[in-house]
Amino acid sequence: MANAINKLSAAKISKLSEPGLYGDGGSLYLQITRGGTKSWLFRYMINGKARGMGLGPLHTVSLAEARSRALAARKQLLDGIDPLDIKHREKATKQATKAKAKTFSECADAYIAAHRAGWKNEKHGAQWESTLETYAEPVFGKTPVSEIDTALVMKVLEPIWKEKTETATRVRGRIESVLDWATVRGYRSGDNPARWKGHLDHLLPKRSKVQKVVHHPALPYKEAPAFMEALIAQRSTAAHALRFLILTATRTNEVLGMQWSEVDMAEGIWTVPADRMKMGKEHRVPLSSAAIKILKAQKSQKQGDYVFPGQKENAPLSNMAFLQLLKRMERTDITAHGFRSTFRDWVGETTNYPREVAEAALAHMIKDKAEAAYARGDLFKKRSEMMKAWEDYLQRK
């Protein structure tokens, strides 16, 4: 029986070249093809049927390893298991797993596509794509989403956590959302490595501890009337739009995206739709006589749907319009958004209007939950009076 197995040797195998099967014993054979390729074959009978299972090429699987694989197959046969069926099943499982696997990039694209319709505007979706493409994908964009762990998430966040805290916070939240989506869809399992509470809060300092407060350069309110006089001398659409922005204390994107359908000239009301408001809530803006005068001037040369049109047909002014205007006026020390601070300082330091009226004019969210629960109205009448006073101040009345 000793001669029944281990008939071959490395030296003997190296000399064999004729095509055919050379038995080592124990159902193990060296197979040589007409082209000279040598490989291992396990031949056996099960349920009256002859079967053959490849064990790998000689250049990869040694004689000792082939014998070990043949031994494992013989043991399976003793247990009534067909080794070839097991091999086919494992191969199918691997192929199914591979087909099911998704990269982070694929999951991010799918998540954005699934949620885009529910977001308030296209800009929000673009921001998702931009931040993930810039910060997350270079680190694990092509990594299977099932393999993303805390170390990889930290590799994304640590370089930007202190210097770009606001951005890093958004990136973390977006990674967490994509990974949660992937878990629900069955592409990964286990805890979310991007979660904050009870996890990353132990590895990264709190946002409030490292975030630098960035204030938009603002014009002191005492200089506002003189600036408005200088602005009136400018005859561009951008100048008219900036005057309107100052008079209404609104945001840049709210003014640039303003359409005639939002304006009720007779009632003196401009209704900014929710999808263009930072808080996602419709905002009514009272229009002073000076603001209405600007609108009437724009109406007389109406071109398309936008109140302050840009150079392209039926398109608004560019986001760079105010920046370029201030540069021409040699006022690069201030920003358009900063005029909201100018207005707020004027209200707080020179008038008796309540804080909540000023905050309502700026469409700020009430942070105190108890106060917010009772703030059902928009204080429109009081805001109208306040904006008239602001107009008078700007015009030195």
Side-chain angles (χ1 to χ4, degrees):
M1 292 295 293
N3 295 325
I5 60 173
N6 299 341
K7 297 177 182 180
L8 299 174
S9 66
K12 185 175 181 179
I13 290 172
S14 65
K15 294 177 182 179
L16 294 173
S17 59
E18 288 294 320
L21 293 175
Y22 300 87
D24 182 58
S27 300
L28 176 63
Y29 294 84
L30 175 69
Q31 178 179 250
I32 302 178
T33 65
R34 292 181 182 276
T37 300
K38 298 178 179 180
S39 62
W40 297 107
L41 181 67
F42 182 74
R43 302 180 74 190
Y44 61 98
M45 294 288 293
I46 188 168
N47 298 326
K49 294 181 180 179
R51 306 205 76 180
M53 180 174 70
L55 300 181
L58 177 63
H59 60 69
T60 302
V61 179
S62 68
L63 173 59
E65 187 175 355
R67 286 170 176 169
S68 177
R69 293 185 178 189
L71 176 59
R74 290 197 299 271
K75 288 181 177 179
Q76 287 178 322
L77 286 170
L78 283 176
D79 292 332
I81 300 172
D82 188 337
L84 191 57
D85 284 349
I86 296 297
K87 183 178 180 179
H88 288 163
R89 195 175 303 142
E90 289 176 348
K91 183 179 180 181
T93 299
K94 288 180 180 179
Q95 290 176 336
T97 300
K98 184 177 180 181
K100 188 178 179 183
K102 292 280 187 180
T103 66
F104 178 83
S105 294
E106 290 172 331
C107 288
D109 290 343
Y111 177 92
I112 292 170
H115 291 79
R116 192 184 296 276
W119 286 332
K120 60 183 181 180
N121 53 46
E122 292 184 5
K123 183 179 179 181
H124 189 68
Q127 289 173 339
W128 263 77
E129 292 171 334
S130 176
T131 53
L132 291 179
E133 181 180 346
T134 301
Y135 300 105
E137 291 189 14
V139 177
F140 47 63
K142 300 304 178 184
T143 302
V145 73
S146 59
E147 296 179 15
I148 293 175
D149 57 13
T150 302
L152 282 175
V153 173
M154 288 293 289
K155 191 174 180 180
V156 173
L157 299 178
E158 279 187 308
I160 59 175
W161 192 257
K162 292 182 180 179
E163 299 301 320
K164 301 178 180 179
T165 311
E166 181 71 27
T167 298
T169 301
R170 290 175 181 169
V171 171
R172 185 209 64 76
R174 288 166 184 173
I175 292 174
E176 182 181 20
S177 294
V178 172
L179 296 183
D180 277 344
W181 179 90
T183 299
V184 174
R185 293 299 298 264
Y187 299 130
R188 63 172 286 116
S189 60
D191 292 334
N192 193 320
R195 69 190 186 282
W196 177 254
K197 192 173 182 180
H199 186 55
L200 292 184
D201 58 349
H202 296 306
L203 301 176
L204 294 166
K206 290 183 179 179
R207 171 179 167 183
S208 59
K209 299 292 185 182
V210 295
Q211 186 173 23
K212 297 177 182 178
V213 178
V214 179
H215 296 289
H216 293 274
L219 186 73
Y221 69 86
K222 292 182 180 179
E223 299 178 24
F227 180 82
M228 285 294 275
E229 288 183 10
L231 195 55
I232 290 173
Q234 301 289 320
R235 299 298 181 183
S236 65
T237 300
H240 298 328
L242 184 55
R243 282 173 55 212
F244 185 85
L245 177 146
I246 296 170
L247 285 164
T248 55
T250 47
R251 297 181 178 88
T252 299
N253 71 299
E254 295 162 9
V255 172
L256 295 184
M258 184 180 185
Q259 298 189 30
W260 289 111
S261 59
E262 302 166 4
V263 180
D264 186 333
M265 207 89 77
E267 295 294 327
I269 301 174
W270 166 33
T271 304
V272 188
D275 63 4
R276 219 166 59 251
M277 293 300 300
K278 185 176 182 180
M279 294 299 111
K281 182 180 179 181
E282 184 181 274
H283 180 54
R284 293 196 305 163
V285 180
L287 300 173
S288 64
S289 58
I292 290 177
K293 185 176 180 180
I294 293 172
L295 294 182
K296 287 181 177 179
Q298 289 298 114
K299 192 79 170 179
S300 65
Q301 51 182 342
K302 180 180 176 181
Q303 299 175 357
D305 299 328
Y306 292 96
V307 176
F308 301 105
Q311 294 182 348
K312 294 182 179 180
E313 184 178 354
N314 202 30
L317 280 172
S318 162
N319 287 329
M320 298 294 290
F322 292 153
L323 185 65
Q324 293 169 348
L325 170 63
L326 291 170
K327 187 175 181 180
R328 290 195 299 271
M329 296 177 70
E330 298 182 351
R331 293 308 306 262
T332 55
D333 57 320
I334 57 177
T335 65
H337 192 86
F339 282 102
R340 286 165 59 82
S341 295
T342 302
F343 166 76
R344 188 65 184 85
D345 290 343
W346 169 80
V347 175
E349 296 185 25
T350 70
T351 78
N352 294 318
Y353 289 104
R355 178 187 64 83
E356 59 268 24
V357 177
E359 293 299 294
L362 294 169
H364 280 165
M365 178 178 67
I366 300 174
K367 295 181 179 180
D368 185 279
K369 292 183 179 180
E371 182 182 351
Y374 290 98
R376 302 297 177 87
D378 63 359
L379 304 174
F380 188 83
K381 185 176 181 180
K382 292 181 179 180
R383 287 194 288 121
S384 297
E385 297 171 358
M386 181 175 61
M387 302 316 291
K388 176 63 172 66
W390 173 235
E391 174 194 65
D392 290 343
Y393 174 76
L394 292 173
Q395 295 181 346
R396 299 178 186 272
K397 290 183 180 180

